[in-house]
Amino acid sequence: MQVVDHVVVGGGVMGSAAAWQLAARGRDVLLLERFSPGHVRGASHGASRIYRTTYDRPEYVDLAVEALTLWRSLDDPSVLTLTGGVSHGVRHEGVAAFFVARGVPHEWLTPAAAAERWPGLRFEGSVLHETATAGRLHADRAVAALQASAASHGADVRHDVQVLRVVAGSSGVVLETTLGDVRARSVVVAVGAWTAGLVGPSLGLDLGPSLVVTQEQPAHFAVLPGAPDEGAWPSFTHQPVGLHPWPSGTYGLATPGEGIKVGFHGVGPVTDPDHRSFLPEPSQLADLQRYAELWLPGVDPTVPAPISCTYTTTPDSDFVLDRRGPVVVAAGFSGHGFKFAPAIGRVLADLASEPADSAPRAAHPAFALARLAGARGHLPTGSSRRPPDEQPTDPRPDAGLDAHPAPAAVGTSPTRTVPQENR
Ligand SMILES: Cc1cc2nc3c(=O)[nH]c(=O)nc-3n(C[C@H](O)[C@H](O)[C@H](O)COP(=O)(O)OP(=O)(O)OC[C@H]3O[C@@H](n4cnc5c(N)ncnc54)[C@H](O)[C@@H]3O)c2cc1C
């Protein structure tokens, strides 16, 4: 049986970041990924994700700021491109107050002034421009760079190895894998849409109801001749003012060589990650084309190139970053986790480095597993975490949202909508 200090299960952006952070501390790390490099079955593939600090809660702003430094420290400078970011529609005072308090460079624009600057987009309401700390992450390159950095610090990165079971014990964990058993002092489980199926049984938790997996379907649209080229587009979110016909607000950004990516947030059909169609839902795609026709005058709405990707969403859209004994859980990134990944990797490495019989301390209480219904009553002894119902609730406005307001204000789409103040 192979014996290592730490196993990380899942080679998406979160697991890769955790492996990097642990290996950089000189730990003996084994990263196990079920599929081949560059696979498209999870949530971390493709060439574009929005990076920005547009949140109004310190735990998210702190992670975003830390992540910016860590992204820049990677060997591949093409992973992060700062283009500026705009949020328009509903005005988010909370975010602006945070920008002022934290000295995040920004400006407010009128829709007309914004449209003059970015004629490919149409604007409404208030336009908040994050001028210097927003942009685009190249998802595939980010995952590859994190794994390369982990390997350069000695981590053993393995693809095409599936972890079948995680058995936690008093002296660590044993993992049953398709390559045989592995024993480790601790394990970080960052398996995205597969979390309920792998973590639930090993911790005796029923996580399915609290970790909802959906198949999301943004699309790329070609830039029209005469419109600003891809390099001149900011990342953008639109939280429509008042009632509107869309299933949710929208987010988008340019993907060099592929056009302008636009998507609704968290409104895809609920799916089983092992039995997905990878096909867009036609009525939602038609909605997206109509949205592009009305709000993106710089693109051709007639020929969308759909993308398929999974969200794993918690009831409050907050992440799960927690530990039970030797098992660290990273899940529920609810469609807005990518930007934070290297900082989340640092939190996961801290959690994995704590004594297994101690109460978890390294993650913010807002990310506690115990707040999820199926996870109650299983707190390990000595845990000082407050039960979730004593947690302060905080309706987030557009913080972190590359998409849309509370469902009440949006259209009446019957599609299942995820509370989506964040992205
Ligand atoms: C359409 C879309 C747009 C998005 N846009 C943004 C954005 O603009 N900004 C932003 O910040 N975030 C965005 N996100 C969210 C972000 O992409 C995710 O939060 C992030 O990728 C989650 O990473 P992960 O590592 O948790 O999951 P995943 O990437 O799904 O990784 C989990 C990995 O675990 C592996 N695995 C599963 N089971 C096993 C097993 N038993 N053994 C071994 N390996 C296993 C899987 O193969 C997979 O590679 C978006 C997400 C989607 C879907």
Side-chain angles (χ1 to χ4, degrees):
M1 182 187 302
Q2 187 176 359
V3 180
V4 295
D5 280 347
H6 306 280
V7 174
V8 177
V9 188
V13 73
M14 300 302 171
S16 304
W20 171 44
Q21 288 287 321
L22 281 164
R25 298 173 194 196
R27 304 288 173 71
D28 174 21
V29 180
L30 174 63
L31 172 61
L32 299 175
E33 163 51 46
R34 179 178 172 184
F35 301 114
S36 307
H39 77 87
V40 297
R41 296 164 176 269
S44 297
H45 57 276
S48 60
R49 296 288 189 280
I50 292 176
Y51 170 86
R52 60 190 199 145
T53 59
T54 316
Y55 287 74
D56 68 349
R57 283 171 47 194
E59 59 269 31
Y60 282 105
V61 176
D62 293 344
L63 282 175
V65 170
E66 180 185 354
L68 183 58
T69 308
L70 292 170
W71 282 125
R72 286 175 164 155
S73 75
L74 289 174
D75 294 341
D76 181 353
S78 75
V79 164
L80 174 69
T81 307
L82 294 177
T83 61
V86 284
S87 309
H88 70 108
V90 173
R91 186 182 174 93
H92 298 308
E93 298 300 350
V95 173
F98 244 89
F99 278 5
V100 172
R102 294 293 183 93
V104 177
H106 67 283
E107 58 181 345
W108 287 102
L109 299 167
T110 63
E116 199 175 320
R117 197 172 309 181
W118 299 286
L121 287 160
R122 205 173 122 227
F123 297 89
E124 69 166 343
S126 304
V127 183
L128 176 61
H129 178 207
E130 185 180 347
T131 54
T133 50
R136 177 182 59 245
L137 288 157
H138 191 298
D140 290 332
R141 288 184 197 153
V143 172
L146 290 166
Q147 291 183 4
S149 294
S152 73
H153 286 96
D156 183 356
V157 177
R158 305 273 189 91
H159 286 88
D160 303 304
V161 181
Q162 183 178 7
V163 172
L164 304 169
R165 209 154 76 97
V166 175
V167 184
S170 55
S171 60
V173 287
V174 172
L175 294 103
E176 294 172 15
T177 85
T178 46
L179 264 192
D181 291 359
V182 180
R183 179 186 294 282
R185 186 152 60 89
S186 81
V187 61
V188 174
V189 185
V191 295
W194 291 268
T195 301
L198 187 65
V199 171
S202 71
L203 296 182
L205 304 175
D206 176 17
L207 294 174
S210 304
L211 293 173
V212 176
V213 178
T214 53
Q215 179 170 275
E216 298 297 318
Q217 53 178 78
H220 282 116
F221 293 90
V223 173
L224 284 170
D229 66 34
E230 291 159 355
W233 289 64
S235 64
F236 55 90
T237 64
H238 177 201
Q239 195 169 352
V241 177
L243 280 180
H244 57 86
W246 319 114
S248 71
T250 54
Y251 65 92
L253 73 168
T255 308
E258 297 183 56
I260 307 303
K261 178 181 178 178
V262 193
F264 296 123
H265 180 58
V267 292
V270 174
T271 190
D272 169 347
D274 285 319
H275 300 97
R276 288 176 48 199
S277 69
F278 294 90
L279 298 172
E281 207 265 317
S283 66
Q284 211 177 96
L285 186 59
D287 276 347
L288 198 60
Q289 287 180 264
R290 268 195 297 282
Y291 178 84
E293 193 177 351
L294 284 175
W295 290 96
L296 282 85
V299 308
D300 174 0
T302 62
V303 194
I307 302 160
S308 187
C309 183
T310 58
Y311 279 18
T312 305
T313 301
T314 57
D316 54 14
S317 293
D318 283 326
F319 307 153
V320 174
L321 302 175
D322 205 346
R323 180 174 55 75
R324 292 288 167 87
V327 180
V328 175
V329 182
F333 295 104
S334 307
H336 69 117
F338 205 102
K339 62 180 74 65
F340 305 102
I344 288 175
R346 190 271 306 158
V347 173
L348 299 173
D350 289 350
L351 284 167
S353 305
E354 293 172 341
D357 59 1
S358 70
R361 294 201 178 289
H364 191 282
F367 305 135
L369 186 56
R371 77 187 197 278
L372 303 185
R376 287 217 177 110
H378 293 279
L379 287 172
T381 53
S383 167
S384 61
R385 286 285 158 94
R386 290 185 299 167
D389 41 25
E390 288 176 23
Q391 302 283 353
T393 52
D394 65 307
R396 246 158 305 126
D398 182 7
L401 161 207
D402 300 340
H404 40 100
V410 298
T412 54
S413 157
T415 316
R416 182 183 172 286
T417 53
V418 173
Q420 54 262 99
E421 277 104 0
N422 45 308
R423 167 135 179 81

